[in-house]
């Protein structure tokens, strides 16, 4: 453990949990947005999400090589093209999803909150029921009990009554339930624009400044100028 030296600002990260739902480009865009804003990140990648990441990007995310794998992931655009982005991951700390002794498993570990993106229905159920079967779910439970911001970007359709009840339970517990629902009013011309809109809304809910999408400015017919209602 490295104590904070006099005059240093303590590291207080956002936890980003990536579950097994389809939508790994959303997670990549959120991570890039946080890092671009100068935020520190604690990353938790679930076992199920590794299969989704492999299927959607061809990248095999490995604990022992997480830095190389994360760079490769964040460099890809939503269309799968490598080398589209350049992200500095120096402020990222990675925790294995099976490490229940990790920092984020305790309320005494300081964080700004947690963003789960994308959130699968299994993840939603686990957090709503307080199962804590892995570090992702445990960190989310800790975030709620400590009264910190939890944003759950659920990615599933259609939604069953059971999942809707779990989402209501999360809302009542203080979480922000944010469906991964892209909008078309801002004049999107590329799949990355739609991904960045969702990522931007996640960052909005967290109170993190970004420039991922153009905002509504109060004028109808603003699609061609990059403006529209939320």
């Amino acid at each position: 453990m490295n104590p904070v030296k006099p005059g240093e600002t303590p590291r207080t990260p956002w936890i980003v949990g990536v579950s097994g739902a389809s939508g790994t480009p959303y997670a990549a865009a959120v991570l890039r947005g946080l890092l671009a804003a100068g935020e520190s990140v604690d990353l938790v990648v679930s076992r199920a999400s590794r299969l989704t990441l492999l299927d959607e990007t061809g990248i095999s995310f490995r604990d022992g090589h997480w830095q190389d794998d994360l760079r490769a992931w964040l460099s890809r655009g939503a269309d799968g093209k490598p080398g589209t982005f350049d992200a500095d991951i120096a402020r990222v700390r990675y925790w294995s999803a099976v490490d229940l002794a990790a920092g984020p498993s305790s309320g005494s570990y300081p964080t700004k909150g947690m963003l789960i993106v994308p959130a699968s229905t299994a993840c939603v159920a686990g957090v709503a029921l307080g199962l804590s079967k892995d570090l992702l779910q445990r960190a989310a439970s800790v975030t709620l009990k400590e009264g910190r911001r939890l944003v759950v970007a659920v990615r599933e359709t259609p939604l069953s009554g059971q999942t809707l009840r779990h989402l209501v339970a999360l809302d009542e517990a203080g979480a922000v339930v944010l469906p991964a629902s892209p909008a078309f009013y801002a004049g999107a011309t590329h799949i990355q624009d739609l991904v960045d809109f969702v990522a931007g809304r996640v960052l909005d809910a967290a109170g993190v400044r970004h420039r991922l999408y153009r905002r509504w400015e109060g004028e109808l017919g603003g699609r061609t100028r990059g403006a529209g209602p939320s």
Side-chain angles (χ1 to χ4, degrees):
M1 180 176 180
N2 296 320
V4 178
K5 298 178 181 178
E8 282 188 343
T9 301
R11 181 182 184 275
T12 309
W14 283 98
I15 304 170
V16 176
V18 186
S19 79
S22 176
T24 55
Y26 293 134
V30 166
L31 287 166
R32 287 192 298 263
L34 288 170
L35 296 174
E39 300 286 349
S40 295
V41 173
D42 276 21
L43 177 63
V44 181
V45 180
S46 76
R47 294 179 63 183
S49 70
R50 296 176 190 229
L51 298 176
T52 307
L53 184 63
L54 180 62
D55 185 55
E56 294 184 344
T57 69
I59 295 172
S60 178
F61 199 92
R62 303 158 294 175
D63 285 352
H65 302 274
W66 70 266
Q67 291 172 311
D68 291 337
D69 298 337
L70 180 60
R71 288 192 190 96
W73 178 21
L74 297 189
S75 76
R76 290 178 182 262
D79 59 2
K81 183 179 179 181
T84 302
F85 298 101
D86 183 18
D88 181 0
I89 65 170
R91 292 188 304 278
V92 178
R93 184 173 186 179
Y94 172 73
W95 300 96
S96 172
V98 300
D99 184 5
L100 290 177
S105 68
S106 171
S108 66
Y109 182 81
T111 72
K112 292 183 177 180
M114 183 173 184
L115 316 175
I116 305 178
V117 53
S120 66
T121 55
C123 174
V124 166
V127 177
L129 297 173
L131 298 183
S132 296
K133 74 177 185 65
D134 62 8
L135 180 59
L136 194 159
Q137 291 185 12
R138 172 59 184 169
S141 294
V142 168
T143 300
L144 286 175
K145 82 179 183 68
E146 295 296 323
R148 299 167 184 161
R149 179 58 58 96
L150 174 64
V151 181
V152 181
V154 60
R155 215 306 306 163
E156 184 60 270
T157 189
L159 294 172
S160 69
Q162 185 179 47
T163 297
L164 290 170
R165 286 188 286 273
H166 288 151
L167 292 173
V168 169
L170 289 177
D171 175 78
E172 291 175 342
V176 175
V177 176
L178 194 152
S181 177
F184 296 84
Y185 60 73
T189 60
H190 190 276
I191 186 176
Q192 189 67 52
D193 299 326
L194 300 176
V195 168
D196 285 347
F197 178 86
V198 172
R201 296 299 286 159
V202 171
L203 296 179
D204 287 345
V208 175
R209 295 173 66 99
H210 65 87
R211 299 181 65 183
L212 288 175
Y213 69 88
R214 296 182 181 179
R215 299 181 181 277
W216 169 242
E217 296 177 350
E219 297 181 16
L220 293 176
R223 182 181 184 278
T224 57
R225 298 189 298 277
S230 62

